Amino acid sequence: MRNMQPMPQLAATDPDACDRAEILALVERETQAFLDRDFDAWAQCWSQDENTQNIFASSTFGVIVESGWDRVARSTADVIAGDVACDLAGFSNCNAQVTIDDNMAWVIYEQNGHYADGRATQTVETRILTRGRDGWRISYLACMIRQNGALSEAGMISLDDKGKVIWAAPETLAALTGHPVFMLSQGRLRSRRPAWDRVLQEAIRKAGKVQGFFDLQRHAESTGAPFGFPVILGEDDVGRTILCQIEVQNGLTNLFTDIESRLERRLAVAATVFSLSDGQSRIARHIAQGCNLKEAARAEGISINTARTHLTRLYEKTGVNSQTALVRLLLSVG
């Protein structure tokens, strides 16, 4: 969804045009050779000395550093020869910035990859190159995974600090058509009801203020957890609580429209922290899933009075006095 600009067509009058064109072509050739499992073609793109270095970073697996050509080549050869090679079906590089200083150059760009099943991934890439007798060769690679379609959760939508959609799985975007709560408007995520949308936009603005590295680091150090919070948009016409979850990762705001998978873990922690009975936990789960008290009682096969008693005990044990506050509390633990 980001406004991607393809690799530039360089004018012949640019004094560095030939070098720039060679660098951009080399970068694409190196990636394609890796996807083709052609180790020899891939290796020809590298300077192959002790200064060679690969760095991979992701919020999922952390930072991996491979230093020296022997280590880089061995690791890549194992991947190409094995069963865990990258299974991207194709890629495109965009928004490239190339800087050349004598016999050294560096290029920063974004790469969009796609899988055969329609999933997508987005990375921010850096290459440092040196020029020798055989032309430009790569000495340093850094791959920062911004979004990985293979690992993204159901209902996850990545936004910039203004609420513009940067990335989402195709099925997630398709689900917004006719969605009862969320919609797209001029590339931005909105809620269908004005009252809900005011709450949503305020939550997006709050998250957008902490998208920087040092903001997130300060938050994690002070709280011991990543930045994230449940958003209670309001209630629908039958009293169901409408909510979503917001987290900040990779310099983006990730909004989760489907919080079912996160709910069970948090409810289990809440049951331990607040000493909830099984009946109280089940009523809490229904309420957190958006049910009103009558629907929760019907689902549990109990009377509305018994459901009210469970809810009263929930309020007493958690120290809140409304269903909205209860949901916010339950989704904030764990």
Side-chain angles (χ1 to χ4, degrees):
M1 303 294 294
R2 181 189 293 270
N3 182 23
M4 296 295 185
Q5 299 297 321
M7 290 293 202
Q9 297 295 316
L10 299 169
T13 55
D14 185 338
D16 291 325
C18 291
D19 282 330
R20 292 171 186 258
E22 181 182 345
I23 288 167
L24 295 178
L26 176 68
V27 165
E28 295 210 12
R29 191 164 66 248
E30 185 260 353
T31 302
Q32 189 60 57
F34 180 74
L35 297 186
D36 292 341
R37 297 188 180 220
D38 187 338
F39 178 81
D40 291 337
W42 173 86
Q44 289 174 9
C45 300
W46 287 82
S47 60
Q48 304 188 16
D49 58 36
E50 66 277 6
N51 294 320
T52 301
Q53 189 169 78
N54 275 352
I55 297 180
F56 302 95
S58 165
S59 59
T60 303
F61 55 71
V63 178
I64 297 173
V65 179
E66 300 172 347
S67 297
W69 172 247
D70 289 344
R71 174 71 180 89
V72 170
R74 183 171 65 253
S75 173
T76 303
D78 289 344
V79 171
I80 287 176
D83 297 325
V84 293
C86 179
D87 59 349
L88 284 178
F91 70 96
S92 61
N93 295 338
C94 13
N95 297 336
Q97 302 176 47
V98 182
T99 303
I100 301 172
D101 186 1
D102 197 14
N103 291 320
M104 178 172 286
W106 51 98
V107 55
I108 303 170
Y109 60 96
E110 296 179 50
Q111 184 176 100
N112 293 309
H114 64 272
Y115 299 85
D117 61 5
R119 291 176 294 119
T121 188
Q122 185 184 90
T123 59
V124 178
E125 309 265 349
T126 301
R127 302 287 190 275
I128 296 177
L129 303 94
T130 54
R131 176 164 45 192
R133 290 176 298 176
D134 297 325
W136 291 102
R137 294 293 184 269
I138 299 169
S139 294
Y140 170 92
L141 173 155
C143 174
M144 314 298 177
I145 300 176
R146 169 167 272 168
Q147 293 294 348
N148 189 338
L151 300 175
S152 63
E153 296 185 36
M156 187 181 85
I157 304 172
S158 295
L159 312 169
D160 67 9
D161 59 348
K162 306 299 183 185
K164 183 177 181 181
V165 176
I166 301 300
W167 187 92
E171 57 270 23
T172 299
L173 289 175
L176 293 179
T177 302
H179 195 282
V181 178
F182 300 101
M183 66 178 182
L184 286 180
S185 176
Q186 298 181 334
R188 293 180 61 206
L189 186 69
R190 307 297 298 263
S191 190
R192 294 187 180 276
R193 295 192 182 186
W196 296 351
D197 192 55
R198 285 193 291 272
V199 177
L200 176 64
Q201 299 310 316
E202 178 58 31
I204 290 172
R205 281 192 291 271
K206 182 188 297 185
K209 293 179 180 179
V210 292
Q211 286 186 355
F213 172 79
F214 291 104
D215 294 314
L216 290 173
Q217 183 184 47
R218 188 179 303 111
H219 176 84
E221 289 175 347
S222 62
T223 66
F227 184 88
F229 56 95
V231 182
I232 310 297
L233 299 178
E235 295 183 353
D236 66 9
D237 296 335
V238 295
R240 283 188 290 259
T241 302
I242 305 300
L243 67 155
C244 60
Q245 178 81 11
I246 276 183
E247 296 178 1
V248 177
Q249 283 186 321
N250 304 324
L252 296 172
T253 296
N254 293 327
L255 183 143
F256 299 86
T257 61
D258 179 5
I259 63 169
E260 190 71 27
S261 60
R262 295 156 172 264
L263 183 58
E264 290 302 319
R265 176 172 59 85
R266 287 183 164 90
L267 283 174
V269 174
T272 300
V273 171
F274 300 111
S275 300
L276 305 182
S277 69
D278 290 343
Q280 292 159 10
S281 294
R282 289 195 296 270
I283 290 297
R285 179 181 294 104
H286 289 301
I287 292 173
Q289 288 172 332
C291 296
N292 59 36
L293 199 57
K294 287 183 179 179
E295 292 170 331
R298 189 182 308 117
E300 287 299 307
I302 59 178
S303 70
I304 186 63
N305 287 334
T306 300
R308 286 196 183 100
T309 299
H310 285 321
L311 184 60
T312 299
R313 297 291 181 267
L314 282 166
Y315 289 163
E316 291 173 351
K317 290 181 176 182
T318 59
V320 301
N321 56 13
S322 72
Q323 291 186 31
T324 297
L326 177 64
V327 171
R328 184 177 288 112
L329 176 64
L330 293 174
L331 292 177
S332 298
V333 300

